[in-house]
């Protein structure tokens, strides 16, 4: 299996990759986000998008009216491409792009000093899981500390057990199971999972 948790893997990949959508296209993800976008306090709501890579999800979110978005990726080539993609789509850059490790969000001042109304990742937790459950837990703990009151985390994963982690500071719900394409009609049903993670109530 590739070292999805290593920055070196993404640097090599992004040297040639210009566009790729993990698990589901952004156009499929956006309708799943719609009810949560509608509950945000306005178009200036703060959104944290983790591991955007070469996706166009941030452009679709801005097209929807949201520009107060912090896009975070492990690899500088992704942040450079993200800025170029936004400028090509809108003529200028309004969103923020940060190169950072999603398992160490507390060490990033531009993130740790903010509180976000919505956090989004599309298979970023899957990549981080290659370093083990402790890495996913570190990501989750950083997100938990970064959420505003009433804020939620929406995550798409290939795993039905991605967040079965002791000490996870979230209540976890599967919003929907997304069937994957079959090569043959007799192939087994395989799904991707869209999770809603809400901070657990304080004891």
């Amino acid at each position: 299996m590739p070292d999805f948790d290593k920055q070196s893997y993404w640097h090599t990949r992004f040297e040639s990759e210009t566009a790729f959508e993990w698990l589901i296209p952004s156009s499929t993800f956006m309708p799943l986000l719609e009810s949560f976008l509608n509950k945000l306090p306005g178009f200036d709501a703060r959104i944290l998008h983790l591991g955007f890579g070469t996706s166009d999800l941030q452009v679709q979110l801005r097209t929807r009216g949201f520009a107060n978005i912090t896009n975070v990726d492990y690899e500088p080539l992704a942040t450079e491409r993200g800025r170029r993609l936004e400028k090509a789509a809108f003529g200028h850059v309004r969103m923020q792009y940060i190169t950072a490790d999603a398992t160490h969000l507390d060490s990033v001042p531009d993130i740790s000093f903010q509180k976000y109304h919505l956090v989004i990742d599309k298979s970023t937790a899957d990549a981080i899981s290659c370093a083990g459950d402790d890495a996913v837990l570190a990501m989750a703990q950083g997100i938990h500390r970064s959420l505003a009151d009433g804020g939620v985390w929406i995550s798409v994963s290939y795993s039905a057990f991605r967040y079965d982690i002791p000490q996870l500071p979230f209540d976890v719900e599967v919003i929907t199971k997304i069937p994957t394409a079959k090569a043959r009609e007799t192939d087994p049903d395989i799904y991707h999972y869209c999770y809603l993670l809400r901070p657990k109530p304080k004891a």
Side-chain angles (χ1 to χ4, degrees):
M1 177 181 289
D3 292 325
F4 291 125
D5 59 313
K6 300 289 194 301
Q7 187 181 33
S8 57
Y9 167 81
W10 297 107
H11 181 80
T12 301
R13 178 172 179 142
F14 292 161
E15 282 183 317
S16 58
E17 180 179 282
T18 58
F20 187 80
E21 298 291 342
W22 288 93
L23 304 187
I24 58 173
S26 296
S27 58
T28 300
F29 194 17
M30 284 298 291
L32 302 179
L33 293 172
E34 188 63 25
S35 65
F36 300 96
L37 297 175
N38 288 336
K39 294 174 185 174
L40 293 176
F43 287 118
D44 60 345
R46 290 181 295 278
I47 297 174
L48 180 61
H49 179 200
L50 295 174
F52 62 93
T54 55
S55 170
D56 69 349
L57 179 59
Q58 69 273 13
V59 169
Q60 297 212 25
L61 286 165
R62 184 171 169 189
T63 299
R64 176 65 175 74
F66 298 92
N68 194 5
I69 301 172
T70 301
N71 299 290
V72 177
D73 201 275
Y74 206 13
E75 170 51 43
L77 291 175
T79 55
E80 293 169 11
R81 179 197 169 278
R83 290 188 185 96
R84 291 197 302 271
L85 186 65
E86 183 183 4
K87 187 171 184 180
F90 301 102
H92 58 280
V93 176
R94 287 184 59 194
M95 295 183 282
Q96 187 175 22
Y97 297 85
I98 297 175
T99 302
D101 183 344
T103 66
H104 293 90
L105 295 176
D106 289 350
S107 68
V108 186
D110 284 347
I111 295 173
S112 61
F113 294 153
Q114 295 287 343
K115 293 294 183 181
Y116 295 92
H117 300 98
L118 178 64
V119 177
I120 300 168
D121 90 272
K122 186 152 68 76
S123 205
T124 302
D126 291 335
I128 286 172
S129 74
C130 293
D133 283 352
D134 285 349
V136 178
L137 181 59
M139 175 185 178
Q141 290 169 333
I143 290 171
H144 186 269
R145 288 187 286 267
S146 299
L147 281 172
D149 289 345
V152 298
W153 173 18
I154 307 294
S155 177
V156 177
S157 171
Y158 64 78
S159 174
F161 310 102
R162 175 58 60 230
Y163 297 108
D164 290 358
I165 301 173
Q167 290 83 49
L168 190 80
F170 289 92
D171 290 325
V172 182
E173 173 188 344
V174 175
I175 301 171
T176 190
K177 296 195 303 183
I178 306 155
T180 63
K182 295 184 179 185
R184 295 178 299 274
E185 207 172 300
T186 55
D187 286 348
D189 293 332
I190 298 175
Y191 297 92
H192 299 319
Y193 299 83
C194 186
Y195 290 97
L196 167 63
L197 296 98
R198 299 183 188 274
K200 288 182 175 176
K202 294 179 182 178

